[in-house]
Amino acid sequence: MGLAKTEIFSDSQNEIATFAKVFGHPARVAILQYLFELNTCVCGDLVSEIGLAQPTISQHLKELKQLGLIKGTIEGTSVCYCIDTDNWAKMKRIMNAFLDQDLSKNDCC
């Protein structure tokens, strides 16, 4: 597999692609939906709710946390996760601007 050559693209293009990657796997979508449904921090076992193995859930949580869409706090031996509302709002602004860019253009074909 070749290199992505991300350095040849703008920061904005890379940011949009990174946000889009989050929605590229149904497990991450399911985790986000579950966190939104509860509307609180989840300290319990996401494995039983999502139905995937613990290492798989942990990897998806790590990706979501690295991007900043979720945040986690350690409580005893467990980590509690919730939506990072500030970063979620930022992602929505960026993605909406990208997805709405065609609305101000005339039809060309």
Side-chain angles (χ1 to χ4, degrees):
M1 187 169 179
L3 296 176
K5 296 188 180 183
T6 57
E7 71 278 354
I8 67 171
F9 301 103
S10 72
D11 289 343
S12 175
Q13 290 166 332
N14 279 298
E15 189 172 39
I16 291 167
T18 301
F19 284 134
K21 180 182 175 188
V22 166
F23 303 107
H25 196 289
R28 290 190 290 272
V29 173
I31 290 168
L32 289 168
Q33 286 177 321
Y34 183 68
L35 292 175
F36 273 115
E37 283 174 22
L38 293 181
N39 198 26
T40 186
C41 287
V42 175
C43 299
D45 191 9
L46 284 171
V47 172
S48 61
E49 294 298 326
I50 306 298
L52 297 172
Q54 181 62 50
T56 304
I57 295 288
S58 293
Q59 183 60 38
H60 289 300
L61 288 169
K62 179 181 172 186
E63 288 189 41
L64 290 167
K65 192 170 180 184
Q66 282 177 336
L67 188 54
L69 293 181
I70 65 171
K71 54 187 174 181
T73 57
I74 298 172
E75 289 190 14
T77 59
S78 65
V79 180
C80 299
Y81 291 99
C82 61
I83 300 292
D84 185 318
T85 55
D86 291 338
N87 286 337
W88 184 263
K90 175 186 173 190
M91 186 261 319
K92 281 178 56 176
R93 282 191 307 274
I94 291 167
M95 295 304 289
N96 283 334
F98 174 70
L99 294 171
D100 287 344
Q101 65 187 331
D102 66 318
L103 298 179
S104 63
K105 307 280 187 207
N106 292 328
D107 289 335
C108 68
C109 298

